[in-house]
Amino acid sequence: MRAQFLMRRRLVGLAILALLPFGGGCAGTGHWATPSLPEAKRQVGEYVDSGRYEADIAAVAEKARTYLESRAHRGGKLAIVVDLDETALSNLPSLRANDYGFIGAGPCDLPRGPCGLAAWIMMAKAEPIKPVLALAELARQRGVAVFFLTGRPERMRAATEANLRAAGYAWTGLILRPDVLTTRSAAEFKAPERKKIEEQGYTIIVNVGDQASDLDGGFAEKTYKLPNPFYLIP
Ligand SMILES: [Mg+2]
């Protein structure tokens, strides 16, 4: 599935590149809404460097925190479900090193780049996204189970566990996608996995992720969408 995601992401990039000559031709008319690729990257960099990205994450996490606090009081066998990349963990060093382009294969040379995504994940050096770490800690303090649910493949489990531990997380379950997957989208994988958690008797009160595909398909009382200006996973 990752390969499919990556392929689609690459296709989006190619589509933008294919449009560029026309974009250039239309720029003078003022009717062309798509920014050039350098301009789009500049805007992403500015969004991150200005602190707005972090502030937007904190605002969403605060809403989740408020709901968790109020809901936990009512009791039950409760759980939260948390996505990993750009939700629990930040891949910003690798994204920056690639000037917000996507590089899947090859070594990860930091901070200069390029930085291959798989190599970066295996380094297990992603920092926690702090408002999400605080949310996970609050859940555990309130007796609410924490399940991580990620599109990272099962073969990356050891590195992923090491990274989560180093980042300060504790959890009840870590669900990675099978190395060979047949679903067409992340939502088609993740929603049934949430259903399985509920079949264990849990009520998922909060589901937080940076992609709509982390949240679509039900099996959560409330969903919380973090910003991700870097990539889109269908
Ligand atoms: Mg994610």
Side-chain angles (χ1 to χ4, degrees):
M1 180 173 67
R2 192 75 182 176
Q4 274 183 343
F5 294 162
L6 304 186
M7 185 90 63
R8 284 187 202 186
R9 234 188 281 171
R10 214 165 290 151
L11 287 174
V12 170
L14 287 172
I16 290 169
L17 285 175
L19 289 170
L20 276 179
F22 300 103
C26 295
T29 68
H31 296 306
W32 191 255
T34 307
S36 66
L37 196 52
E39 174 57 16
K41 288 180 175 185
R42 192 198 63 74
Q43 288 179 16
V44 169
E46 203 270 327
Y47 177 59
V48 173
D49 296 339
S50 67
R52 281 185 292 134
Y53 172 55
E54 216 177 319
D56 287 349
I57 289 174
V60 176
E62 182 55 32
K63 287 180 186 164
R65 188 185 163 84
T66 302
Y67 182 69
L68 194 155
E69 278 281 24
S70 67
R71 181 62 179 84
H73 284 305
R74 285 156 50 198
K77 189 179 176 184
L78 306 180
I80 66 170
V81 169
V82 183
D83 169 60
L84 282 195
D85 293 297
E86 272 53 70
T87 299
L89 298 174
S90 170
N91 296 305
L92 258 180
S94 72
L95 294 163
R96 275 210 180 96
N98 295 330
D99 191 25
Y100 302 114
F102 172 71
I103 298 175
C108 177
D109 179 8
L110 290 176
R112 283 171 23 132
C115 174
L117 177 63
W120 159 254
I121 288 175
M122 297 312 274
M123 287 162 70
K125 282 188 171 170
E127 297 278 327
I129 291 183
K130 293 209 171 74
V132 177
L133 177 60
L135 180 73
E137 281 173 354
L138 176 70
R140 293 181 64 79
Q141 285 165 13
R142 296 293 179 270
V144 175
V146 176
F147 286 89
F148 291 113
L149 176 54
T150 177
R152 286 187 184 189
E154 189 63 49
R155 65 177 178 278
M156 291 178 169
R157 177 176 287 276
T160 298
E161 286 180 346
N163 200 153
L164 282 169
R165 235 176 272 120
Y169 285 101
W171 60 91
T172 301
L174 167 61
I175 303 154
L176 299 98
R177 71 162 174 82
D179 287 332
V180 178
L181 189 71
T182 52
T183 62
R184 286 172 300 151
S185 71
E188 280 179 33
F189 159 63
K190 290 190 165 186
E193 291 297 330
R194 289 195 301 277
K195 182 169 187 264
K196 286 183 202 168
I197 292 170
E198 295 216 325
E199 283 167 358
Q200 293 174 50
Y202 289 100
T203 300
I204 298 170
I205 58 172
V206 165
N207 179 15
V208 58
D210 61 285
Q211 303 285 323
S213 56
D214 295 326
L215 310 175
D216 290 347
F219 304 105
E221 287 183 358
K222 301 271 187 189
T223 60
Y224 295 91
K225 168 74 174 66
L226 302 181
N228 183 339
F230 314 113
Y231 55 85
L232 186 66
I233 298 179

